[in-house]
Amino acid sequence: MFKVNDIRKDFPILSRQVNGKSLVYFDNAATSQTPQQVIDVIVDYYSNYNANIHRGVHTLSQEATDLYEQARQKVQAHFNAKFSHEIILTSGTTHSINLVANGFSSLLKKGDEVIVSALEHHSNIVPWQMLCERTGAILKVIPMNQDGELVMDDYDILLTKNTKLVFVNHISNALGTINPIEYIIEKAHKVGAAVLIDGAQSCPHIKPDVQKLDVDFYVASAHKMCGPTGVGMLYGKEDWLNKLPPYQGGGEMIAEVTFEKTTYANLPHKFEAGTPNICGGIAFGAAIDYMNNVGFNNIAKYEHELLEYATEKLLAIEGLKIYGTSKNKTSVISFNLNSIHPYDVGTILDKLGIAVRTGHHCAQPIMDFYNIPGTIRASFSFYNTKAEIDTLVEGVKKAKMMLS
Ligand code: C6P
């Protein structure tokens, strides 16, 4: 039995009031809330260990370095990377994708092909468009269907001997669709293409095994998995990370610097220029511990229950349409109410203490596909309850009445 009421006690923010009502936080796909166990690690770091890392012989610096490197090992173990130097700690998913896209500038030439999907967040579109502009490579798109699923038959046709890279999200942030990444990776490798999986939305729900997936790059953000903002990870196979040039130049990423020539540090430091988000990295490790203690099997089972419950209740409201109806989806419900603008519904829900995201969710091509300006997105986490879903349903009914 999943003890959600006990879990909720770990999250201080869940007991606050918003606009005079108990907060109902359904914007988990934008950022998750932070348990006390992670907040304590942040306070402890600044109270006892704050120092720069990899630089000082003094005790504080060495202790902070140890904590940071232990966090890297936690990330390695969580994603089952073969080596800890295959884990680059970045500022988040966006940074990780840009790092890889920038690196491929020196590996692609005019006429090479790269494949994206119709279901991507702008973070997994724009850096690659910039890469194509720099190199003359051609961007191809795996189309989607009305259910918000990728059309795999078309993917098979898009892959050619010229395909060098495929980049797809594991789970769509706007619709919640879980994409068939095992198939995508296997097929890409058959034509010799590398694959980057954007795991920003999967990591709060699933524990990915990068070796089992045989994926070349996997990226995620800590703030979507109970960790702080401004920190995230890039997993890259050792061979690929060795092939890519550094992204940024600066302190820590060098072996030796003279005015004639600079040589670079070994992995992972080659990609970690400047003072990193040390406290954030350590807290990321604590967030991974926290989520593993709750257990990803428990999380998946409970969130699925929430998804089914909410889908049934919301669909009972006349004029409500859900976008993203794949059977294979996670706990995200994107919907609209007749022709009412999503922003208006979101504003009324906020007055009732309910936090949802409205708009295009940084996925404009998906909105264009459905020919809508945006949606109302309710995204559930393992600390949400069916009672909160009832509050949302009542709120949506009220908004409909007020705005119709
Ligand atoms: N999506 C959402 O509300 P950053 O901002 O770098 O941590 O993550 C970017 C990102 C990349 N890919 C996917 C699939 C994402 O969902 C996100 C972030 C949030 O949907 C904020 S826009």
Side-chain angles (χ1 to χ4, degrees):
M1 188 38 192
F2 193 71
K3 295 199 169 128
V4 67
N5 287 331
D6 288 348
I7 285 172
R8 288 176 68 81
K9 289 186 194 133
D10 291 337
F11 292 82
I13 206 168
L14 296 181
S15 53
R16 77 158 275 190
Q17 303 267 304
V18 170
N19 294 324
K21 311 272 184 205
S22 295
L23 168 67
V24 171
Y25 187 75
F26 284 156
D27 197 16
N28 294 287
T31 201
S32 56
Q33 292 303 342
T34 318
Q36 191 62 48
Q37 289 85 336
V38 174
I39 298 170
D40 287 347
V41 166
I42 295 168
V43 173
D44 185 43
Y45 173 78
Y46 281 113
S47 307
N48 294 303
Y49 301 102
N50 186 29
N52 213 324
I53 55 169
H54 301 133
R55 283 160 167 85
V57 291
H58 63 83
T59 302
L60 282 193
S61 173
Q62 285 180 11
E63 287 176 352
T65 303
D66 288 348
L67 288 171
Y68 194 70
E69 290 307 322
Q70 280 162 22
R72 191 192 307 280
Q73 282 163 12
K74 283 182 190 178
V75 179
Q76 176 202 354
H78 182 73
F79 288 91
N80 193 30
K82 197 165 173 190
F83 307 112
S84 65
H85 60 252
E86 291 177 319
I87 302 296
I88 313 299
L89 292 170
T90 64
S91 71
T93 302
T94 305
H95 177 189
S96 302
I97 295 172
N98 276 280
L99 188 159
V100 177
N102 184 75
F104 266 90
S105 293
S106 58
L107 303 180
L108 293 189
K109 57 179 188 325
K110 196 165 189 286
D112 282 343
E113 293 168 2
V114 298
I115 299 181
V116 68
S117 97
L119 284 177
E120 299 309 309
H121 184 280
H122 298 162
S123 286
N124 205 25
I125 300 174
V126 184
W128 306 107
Q129 284 176 325
M130 290 159 71
L131 170 71
C132 290
E133 274 168 25
R134 286 194 296 269
T135 59
I138 300 157
L139 186 76
K140 294 173 155 186
V141 185
I142 312 169
M144 62 185 275
N145 64 21
Q146 283 295 328
D147 286 325
E149 295 165 327
L150 295 179
V151 183
M152 282 299 104
D153 288 350
D154 287 14
Y155 173 57
D156 292 346
I157 296 165
L158 291 177
L159 282 168
T160 72
K161 62 178 183 359
N162 296 327
T163 311
K164 297 293 181 255
L165 256 174
V166 178
F167 27 93
V168 174
N169 63 43
H170 197 161
I171 294 182
S172 153
N173 72 313
L175 306 179
T177 315
I178 304 173
N179 290 316
I181 62 162
E182 293 80 1
Y183 181 87
I184 289 171
I185 295 165
E186 197 193 323
K187 284 282 181 166
H189 284 171
K190 287 213 164 107
V191 300
V195 181
L196 178 142
I197 298 295
D198 171 353
Q201 293 295 339
S202 50
C203 291
H205 312 288
I206 291 173
K207 186 170 174 166
D209 180 331
V210 292
Q211 289 191 74
K212 197 162 164 220
L213 286 169
D214 194 25
V215 66
D216 303 285
F217 302 99
Y218 199 100
V219 300
S221 297
H223 71 92
K224 301 213 198 264
M225 39 193 307
C226 297
T229 51
V231 64
M233 54 79 70
L234 158 66
Y235 159 78
K237 280 183 184 163
E238 185 184 46
D239 283 356
W240 273 116
L241 292 178
N242 279 328
K243 260 186 242 168
L244 296 187
Y247 179 41
Q248 293 181 314
E252 264 314 292
M253 51 75 72
I254 55 93
E256 224 165 305
V257 179
T258 66
F259 283 109
E260 287 69 44
K261 187 174 168 55
T262 291
T263 52
Y264 304 124
N266 291 331
L267 296 174
H269 307 294
K270 177 176 120 179
F271 292 110
E272 294 183 356
T275 302
N277 182 350
I278 302 166
C279 178
I282 295 166
F284 186 13
I288 284 175
D289 285 345
Y290 180 84
M291 292 203 71
N292 278 308
N293 276 340
V294 178
F296 278 85
N297 287 340
N298 298 332
I299 290 173
K301 194 162 162 264
Y302 179 70
E303 288 178 345
H304 188 71
E305 258 178 53
L306 291 182
L307 175 68
E308 291 207 319
Y309 184 78
T311 304
E312 196 190 316
K313 293 263 168 178
L314 286 169
L315 279 178
I317 300 173
E318 214 191 301
L320 187 144
K321 180 173 162 60
I322 292 180
Y323 297 89
T325 44
S326 173
K327 282 195 187 68
N328 210 10
K329 69 176 274 192
T330 189
S331 50
V332 169
I333 301 185
S334 249
F335 63 94
N336 273 332
L337 260 183
N338 294 323
S339 55
I340 301 169
H341 199 283
Y343 181 84
D344 295 335
V345 179
T347 306
I348 290 177
L349 291 178
D350 178 58
K351 293 273 175 283
L352 301 171
I354 304 165
V356 292
R357 185 170 173 187
T358 58
H360 56 60
H361 314 299
C362 302
Q364 281 182 347
I366 299 180
M367 303 302 133
D368 290 348
F369 174 84
Y370 288 119
N371 201 17
I372 50 175
T375 68
I376 303 140
R377 184 187 68 180
S379 49
F380 313 120
S381 181
F382 59 88
Y383 43 72
N384 290 129
T385 64
K386 287 184 182 166
E388 288 181 307
I389 290 169
D390 292 340
T391 307
L392 170 72
V393 171
E394 287 314 306
V396 172
K397 284 183 186 161
K398 196 165 182 179
K400 186 182 157 194
M401 215 169 67
M402 289 170 74
L403 297 166
S404 295

